[in-house]
Amino acid sequence: MDNINRPGTEKAVIMDGNAVGRAIARITYEILERNKGSDNLCIIAIMSGGLNIASRICAKINELENTAVPCGALDITAYRDDERHSPDCDKTCIDFDVTGKKVIIVDDVIFTGRSARAAIDALMKRGRPQCIQLAVLVDRGHRELPIRPDYVGKNVPTSRDESVKVIMGGENNADKVVILE
């Protein structure tokens, strides 16, 4: 989630509902291809930006493979390096063991890479996965850490002054991705 609470004026719609749907379908196909199906796979969303995207990826996997992969939600608040929070307020909801699993971490937007790093730290406290992969709907660049997503819906070059907002099920239940200034 990239500056979701930051007010701004909508500068441009970079993905409409159809584009969002196609991107999620493509990411799902790429996940299944790279991992040779859905065996030993689990999907974990970074709260809260990755929740809708992860649930749609899980639904698409179920549609394609006729199997339900475990899906969870990861609260990275206590693992962020820009603010300190008590681990007592952890809202993580992962009701399966990640040890030995192929874990796909899902987020809406990757920017500096700090949220992805926090997610990896939080996940490793819960077990030792076989591997961790990262899927994002939008990659806007400006990395501060050497982190690169494995699956990207759309690369969108932005300035640091702009913000990217993913809206899932917004007005009239329409999905879209916008740049705010």
Side-chain angles (χ1 to χ4, degrees):
M1 180 169 40
D2 180 33
N3 302 322
I4 191 107
N5 297 322
R6 184 173 133 185
T9 310
E10 191 174 297
K11 179 178 175 181
V13 175
I14 55 175
M15 294 175 82
D16 63 11
N18 290 331
V20 169
R22 284 189 305 271
I24 290 172
R26 187 177 63 255
I27 288 169
T28 304
Y29 279 110
E30 290 175 4
I31 289 169
L32 291 172
E33 184 176 326
R34 178 172 178 180
N35 292 285
K36 297 175 179 56
S38 60
D39 290 343
N40 206 33
L41 196 65
C42 64
I43 308 293
I44 298 183
I46 295 178
M47 294 174 107
S48 66
L51 291 174
N52 283 325
I53 298 162
S55 68
R56 291 185 192 187
I57 289 171
C58 286
K60 189 71 174 171
I61 289 173
N62 191 6
E63 174 189 321
L64 296 169
E65 298 278 303
N66 200 26
T67 185
V69 296
C71 194
L74 187 62
D75 183 355
I76 63 168
T77 307
Y79 297 89
R80 295 189 57 91
D81 62 4
D82 55 352
E83 38 190 86
R84 293 286 173 217
H85 296 278
S86 166
D88 298 337
C89 64
D90 189 358
K91 296 179 183 110
T92 294
C93 181
I94 300 174
D95 59 358
F96 52 89
D97 189 6
V98 298
T99 300
K101 297 276 191 197
K102 298 175 191 173
V103 177
I104 313 297
I105 295 175
V106 178
D107 204 3
D108 56 353
V109 179
I110 187 166
F111 181 35
T112 61
R114 293 184 180 281
S115 291
R117 187 222 32 97
I120 292 167
D121 288 350
L123 185 64
M124 295 303 286
K125 293 282 186 185
R126 289 165 172 79
R128 188 174 191 271
Q130 177 183 332
C131 66
I132 299 173
Q133 299 165 27
L134 177 61
V136 298
L137 186 60
V138 177
D139 183 346
R140 62 170 291 197
H142 301 288
R143 221 67 84 240
E144 294 175 1
L145 300 174
I147 293 176
R148 182 175 42 156
D150 300 279
Y151 313 99
V152 177
K154 186 172 182 81
N155 288 291
V156 180
T158 61
S159 77
R160 285 194 169 272
D161 297 331
E162 294 170 322
S163 178
V164 174
K165 184 173 183 181
V166 175
I167 301 162
M168 304 286 281
E171 247 180 73
N172 302 322
N173 212 22
D175 300 334
K176 65 180 179 177
V177 179
V178 297
I179 293 181
L180 304 175
E181 48 181 5

